[in-house]
Amino acid sequence: MEIRYGGIQGGFAQICRREMGFTKPRCFARRFSASEVLVKQINLYGKLSGHEGCVNDVDFNSTGDLLVSGSDDKQVIFWNWETKTKQFSYPSGHLDNIFQTRIIPFTDDRKIVTSSSDGQVRLGQVLEDGQVDTKMLGMHQGRVHKLALEPGSPHILYSCGEDSFVQHFDLRSSSATKLFCCSSLTENSKRPPKNIRLNAIVIDPRNSNYIAVGGSDEYARVYDLRKCQLNASSNLDRPVNTFCPRHLISTNNFHITGLSYSNTSELLVSYNDELIYLFQKYMVLGPSSSSASTEDLLKNEEPQVYLGHRNSNTVKGVSFFGPNDEYVLSGSDSGHIFIWKKKGAKLVRLMVGDRHVVNHLAPHPHIPILATCGIEKNVKLWAPMASDAPPVPANAEQIMESNRQGREDHARVTLTPDVIMHVLRLQRRQTMAYTERRYSRADIESDEEDEGYGFSDGDTSSGEGSIGNSTECKIS
């Protein structure tokens, strides 16, 4: 692959030091890959076309030479991204949209695990003849957005679902284990706990005993898997730590769509119709929000915040980028890709990545390459390429302001699930009252016609049926 680097005056001194033997080749490669000048040159390298539906996820293998994607068309495709060619594809066996595809490490790229809107977690096994055998590993009662692979293991993985459960899978066995059910933090509260619909799950790379999850409330929770395994039979929900920006605590209006751990255990959290926050390990609230006093919260350092994007219409991921996680990546409802400097949150690159929405970004494991996907039916590849276009376009402020205004406008009219259910109950009661009044009039007029004024079970012209249909949507 020929990639041209343009305008790298800042890297010239590093190149000279390497050539004179003052810098080790490996150190040079890592420093050069993290160069801000290089990141500013990232541009479209190519497109991978082959799916018949929205592409919801892409993932590199551990060596970075292969890319795998999953789509609304329920197909899994393997790509040679460097030559921009499809190697092979197979039907996943899912009954609905694929949300995530992961190549299991240390399996010679022959085992692929997928999750879907149908609630299934499935395994694809590439056979010697090139055929792919698929089977279901487990099932959630609701959509499964994310999977987490245990670092360094070809056998262990975890899933989280909208049924609030986290499940453990060992490919050496034939059964899944429900570790715990994630519920609301209710210490010193008179309200019963509510189940949290989970959208994201990640494992701490420095200690695989710790797993973080996020979903339909404002708290990112960290669990100790050793304790979860001990309590798996009772499905106890006992996070060891929680994270949340101070101003979002107990708001109940925001939820988490994406999580990512850095190689130093920093936790990146992306909120729906809010912003992205970077939490250091010492910024914890404790096992629950009530564990920290008001005085402690005021003393607690605020997380780094990344702004400018819009995360509303879909379940978006968030990622680190660079050999030492020097950058933060996110897609946007505006169709843009945002790249910020991790330290200081300076926006260093803004580019159009989709005609509609960019959902997921996958960094290459070793070099400054990334793959993205969104509402369009292709995968896009990005690499440092010579270009005269500015890294941050002239209309960047207008794009960011439009996204900010969209967040604020949406916040004024957003209905939480509780409010939606309240509206449904009110409308149902109104419909029943109207039916009763109508039935009473008919009863007076004629006892023979009183059955003609009730609603049948299949009638959806009013009441819950019509609102339920109007608020239902598939999130990719």
Side-chain angles (χ1 to χ4, degrees), residues 176-191:
T177 302
K178 288 183 178 180
L179 289 182
F180 59 86
C181 178
C182 186
S183 60
S184 57
L185 307 171
T186 57
E187 287 187 14
N188 303 321
S189 174
K190 296 180 180 179
R191 296 182 179 180

Side-chain angles (χ1 to χ4, degrees), residues 99-117:
F99 282 156
Q100 190 163 37
T101 56
R102 300 294 302 275
I103 300 173
I104 299 177
F106 306 109
T107 63
D108 197 25
D109 302 324
R110 290 183 174 272
K111 290 184 178 181
I112 307 95
V113 65
T114 56
S115 66
S116 167
S117 181

Side-chain angles (χ1 to χ4, degrees), residues 111-127:
K111 290 184 178 181
I112 307 95
V113 65
T114 56
S115 66
S116 167
S117 181
D118 63 10
Q120 295 184 47
V121 177
R122 298 187 66 88
L123 176 69
Q125 173 75 55
V126 183
L127 306 178

Side-chain angles (χ1 to χ4, degrees), residues 359-370:
N359 283 330
H360 183 72
L361 304 94
H364 190 281
H366 308 298
I367 56 179
I369 306 287
L370 63 138

Side-chain angles (χ1 to χ4, degrees), residues 266-398:
E266 301 161 303
L267 185 61
L268 198 60
V269 184
S270 181
Y271 285 88
N272 178 267
D273 253 331
E274 236 272 339
L275 303 174
I276 297 170
Y277 298 90
L278 178 67
F279 293 93
Q280 306 296 331
K281 294 179 68 175
Y282 57 82
M283 295 179 180
V284 297
L285 300 175
S288 70
S289 59
S290 59
S291 302
S293 65
T294 303
E295 183 178 350
D296 290 337
L297 288 175
L298 293 175
K299 292 180 180 178
N300 203 7
E301 182 181 337
E302 283 288 273
Q304 178 68 68
V305 59
Y306 305 88
L307 49 83
H309 75 305
R310 176 87 190 279
N311 177 11
S312 177
N313 292 331
T314 56
V315 177
K316 291 181 185 61
V318 65
S319 302
F320 290 98
F321 184 63
N324 291 306
D325 301 330
E326 293 89 350
Y327 301 91
V328 170
L329 305 175
S330 178
S332 174
D333 287 353
S334 60
H336 291 88
I337 298 169
F338 284 75
I339 306 180
W340 299 272
K341 195 86 170 175
K342 183 180 75 172
K343 186 175 181 181
K346 173 188 173 184
L347 182 65
V348 296
R349 188 71 177 98
L350 176 63
M351 50 195 175
V352 176
D354 193 281
R355 286 177 295 176
H356 307 285
V357 177
V358 178
N359 283 330
H360 183 72
L361 304 94
H364 190 281
H366 308 298
I367 56 179
I369 306 287
L370 63 138
T372 66
C373 58
I375 302 301
E376 294 184 43
K377 299 178 182 179
N378 57 42
V379 176
K380 293 184 178 65
L381 301 167
W382 307 85
M385 307 281 288
S387 173
D388 294 330
V392 178
N395 64 338
E397 290 189 6
Q398 290 93 326

Side-chain angles (χ1 to χ4, degrees), residues 44 75 84 98 241 280 288 304 317 323 342 393 474-475:
L44 184 64
Q75 295 284 314
K84 308 183 188 73
I98 296 175
N241 276 317
Q280 306 296 331
S288 70
Q304 178 68 68
K342 183 180 75 172
K474 288 188 176 181
I475 305 176

